[in-house]
Structure formats: C-alpha cells, structure tokens
Amino acid sequence: MKSHLKFYDFDSDALSDCGQVLDIEFSNHGLDWPCVIIEKGTSPHFYPQHVYTPYFYFALGLERELNWSAETDSGITNLKTTPGNIWINPPKTPFTHNIDEPCYFVILAIEEKTFLSHCSLNIEGKQLQFLNNYNVVDETIKGIMELFLIEAREKGRNQQVYLGNLLSLLSTYYVQNYSNYFDLQSVQRTASKFDQQQLEVIDEYISENIGGNICVDDLAELLRCSKYYFLREFKKLMGVTPYQYLMNKRLDQAKGLLSSGNTHIASVGQQLGFNDQSHFTRAFKNRFGLTPGQFVKQHQL
C-alpha cells in the first residue's frame, strides 16, 4: 500500500510526491488515531528535495546498513545508518536526502499540535527549538516507537487512554532531551527572585487547601510580599500565572481520582474546588482533550 504521510515543498507549500515511492507493508490506517501515523515498510530509494512535514517525525532504520547523504548546515553530508538508528525531524523543518539503495523503516509521525498538547511539562508560552537529528541512538525512543507499533498491530486494543499515555511519554521525553526546554527553564529561574523552596511552600499550601477558595492574596501573604510582586515573580519562575498553575494542579488531581475509580464526576469537581460542573468539564477537556465523562468511559473499557 502507499504511504499516508504528507510531504510539502518548503518554498511553495505544494504537496510533494516524494513519498509515493514508500511501499508500506503495515500501518495504523483505519484506526481512530487522529493526527498519528505509524508505518512499517521499504523503499528502493528516497529523494526528498527541500520538503517538510507537519509532524514530529521519527524514522527507525531496520534490517541493514544504509549509506546515504543529507543536506546539513555544512552542505551535503555522507551518512551511514545502522539498524536501530533513528532520524528525528521536527515539523516545518526542511530536509533534502539522497538515498540510492533499498531502505527498511518504521516511521512514527505525530502532528505538531497533538504532540505538544500531550507533553506533561509546562511549555505554554515557551519558544521551544528543535534540531534535525540524524543517526540518533536512543533506546527510550526506539522502545516507545515499538509500543506504538505493537498497539497498532493489536488494532488499538488498549483504547484512547493508552494511546494518550504513549503520546505523553514520547512528547515529554523528547522535549526534555531534544529541545532547549531546560535552557529556557534556567533563564526563567535565574530571572525570578523566587526559588524552589518558596515554590514548595506554595505547593504545600495548595495541596492542603485544594478544594477551597485559594486566592492570589493568600499565596502572596505566604511569601510575605505584595500581590503585584508575587504575580510578576511567579510568572517569571513558572511561565504561567498562579491561577493557571492552580488550575493545572486541580485538573491533574481530578484525572488521578477519575482514573482510580472515583467516577462520580460532580463530586470530584466539587471536591477540587470547581463549584460549577460546566466549568470543570470545559477546563478538563481543554487540558486533556476529553470531557470527564469521556475519560471515565474510555478508562473503564
């Protein structure tokens, strides 16, 4: 079968036909996996010229060594890929390859919005940067790709919650290890006059009062500073407002309660300080992509 991956010319945004040469022996096509493609196949050659994809794109080499060339910052570079090596390309990042011999691969492609929305790190508002990485040896990414492949072969037996967990596992690991995330965190923490000890004071207070009415004035008073000062320095430290931080804490705890068998949705929402169930439902869906009811239903399957 033909590949369902989409490649675009970087200059014109026109759909490229470079992927037509990919011969796919297995894919997740037909499964309800929106924005996620996994394919295993072969190709007699591959000549993408200055194209990009809308995906975080992971290509795992299989079976035999591959001698090929790719365009890098220093010009055309000759490469040798051995089975188990991974090529990682971020979305909208152009690449040019010249592969003149048969190649064997597993490709996992996840659309940008879906990939980043499943990251468990606080990346909101951060200007993340990702590199095009050739011949990566990373057993963690390889293992996660194999789990995606197994789940696809089992026709999505473990349902959407499991798929979401795989996406979260991969995106969080990738952002931690293949982006400038920690550099940005270091800059933020250096710029803020708050430190980890003060954040722990805030976390303890939130944990003890999570179902109550927590306001910014209370948090500022804990650290003996003005409301304005607290808002400014907290945002520098964490990259989100105190309200967003508290909301994420409540939603994470709600997810844990619903996962553990507490399926009385209204009770969970009220227990965590959501007086309005519609607000709880809307906030939960914005964070996790499912309403609490949908989450409970899928978790019970």
Side-chain angles (χ1 to χ4, degrees):
M1 78 180 83
K2 294 298 182 182
S3 173
H4 288 86
L5 295 166
K6 288 182 169 56
F7 301 86
Y8 296 90
D9 182 89
F10 186 75
D11 296 317
S12 67
D13 287 328
L15 193 63
S16 169
D17 63 358
C18 68
Q20 291 299 307
V21 71
L22 304 179
D23 184 17
I24 306 304
E25 65 179 65
F26 174 80
S27 83
N28 66 321
H29 183 60
L31 294 179
D32 183 22
W33 286 19
C35 308
V36 178
I37 297 173
I38 188 162
E39 297 181 338
K40 181 180 180 182
T42 63
S43 177
H45 52 77
F46 191 41
Y47 304 120
Q49 301 295 306
H50 207 52
V51 301
Y52 72 90
T53 76
Y55 321 107
F56 282 91
Y57 186 104
F58 303 83
L60 173 67
L62 302 175
E63 295 192 24
R64 53 175 284 183
E65 288 189 350
L66 180 67
N67 295 284
W68 55 299
S69 61
E71 186 174 10
T72 66
D73 291 340
S74 57
I76 298 298
T77 302
N78 293 324
L79 300 167
K80 176 180 282 189
T81 294
T82 61
N85 286 176
I86 305 169
W87 165 50
I88 306 173
N89 195 69
K92 302 181 181 70
T93 303
F95 56 91
T96 295
H97 295 167
N98 291 300
I99 302 177
D100 295 318
E101 56 186 82
C103 50
Y104 305 82
F105 55 82
V106 169
I107 294 172
L108 174 62
I110 305 165
E111 291 191 5
E112 181 177 15
K113 184 176 180 180
T114 296
F115 189 86
L116 295 178
S117 69
H118 282 83
C119 181
S120 64
L121 302 170
N122 172 29
I123 60 175
E124 184 178 352
K126 289 184 169 60
Q127 298 299 312
L128 293 175
Q129 297 176 1
F130 305 96
L131 297 176
N132 189 338
N133 295 277
Y134 293 110
N135 291 345
V136 172
V137 178
D138 192 313
E139 291 299 321
T140 298
I141 291 180
K142 179 184 175 185
I144 297 172
M145 291 180 69
E146 289 170 349
L147 290 176
F148 272 98
L149 188 60
I150 291 169
E151 181 66 4
R153 290 192 183 281
E154 295 293 331
K155 303 187 185 302
R157 179 180 62 183
N158 294 303
Q159 306 296 327
Q160 292 292 323
V161 171
Y162 180 73
L163 177 62
N165 288 338
L166 287 182
L167 287 168
S168 179
L169 185 64
L170 179 58
S171 62
T172 301
Y173 179 83
Y174 176 75
V175 168
Q176 286 178 320
N177 291 277
Y178 294 91
S179 80
N180 61 336
Y181 172 77
F182 284 117
D183 291 338
L184 295 175
Q185 285 289 93
S186 177
V187 170
Q188 275 191 328
R189 292 180 185 276
T190 301
S192 175
K193 293 182 174 61
F194 288 163
D195 56 26
Q196 187 63 35
Q197 185 175 3
Q198 288 167 305
L199 181 62
E200 289 172 2
V201 171
I202 296 299
D203 282 343
E204 183 177 357
Y205 182 84
I206 289 175
S207 179
E208 292 175 352
N209 300 277
I210 197 163
N213 181 25
I214 300 175
C215 65
V216 171
D217 298 270
D218 297 330
L219 301 179
E221 186 176 344
L222 277 176
L223 302 186
R224 295 183 173 85
C225 62
S226 71
K227 178 179 177 180
Y228 173 79
Y229 183 89
F230 176 80
L231 286 169
R232 185 187 66 195
E233 297 303 318
F234 188 93
K235 180 73 180 290
K236 284 182 186 178
L237 180 68
M238 299 307 301
V240 295
T241 66
Y243 173 79
Q244 291 168 321
Y245 186 77
L246 172 61
M247 181 65 68
N248 288 339
K249 288 278 189 182
R250 283 174 165 160
L251 291 170
D252 287 341
Q253 190 161 328
K255 186 179 180 182
L257 289 171
L258 294 174
S259 298
S260 65
N262 188 344
T263 57
H264 196 288
I265 294 169
S267 175
V268 169
Q270 188 172 21
Q271 180 181 339
L272 293 173
F274 293 92
N275 295 324
D276 183 342
Q277 187 173 342
S278 65
H279 180 214
F280 174 47
T281 298
R282 185 168 61 253
F284 193 95
K285 185 174 182 180
N286 287 340
R287 180 77 190 280
F288 301 116
L290 300 168
T291 67
Q294 291 169 332
F295 177 82
V296 168
K297 184 177 179 180
Q298 291 192 359
H299 197 75
Q300 289 176 334
L301 294 175

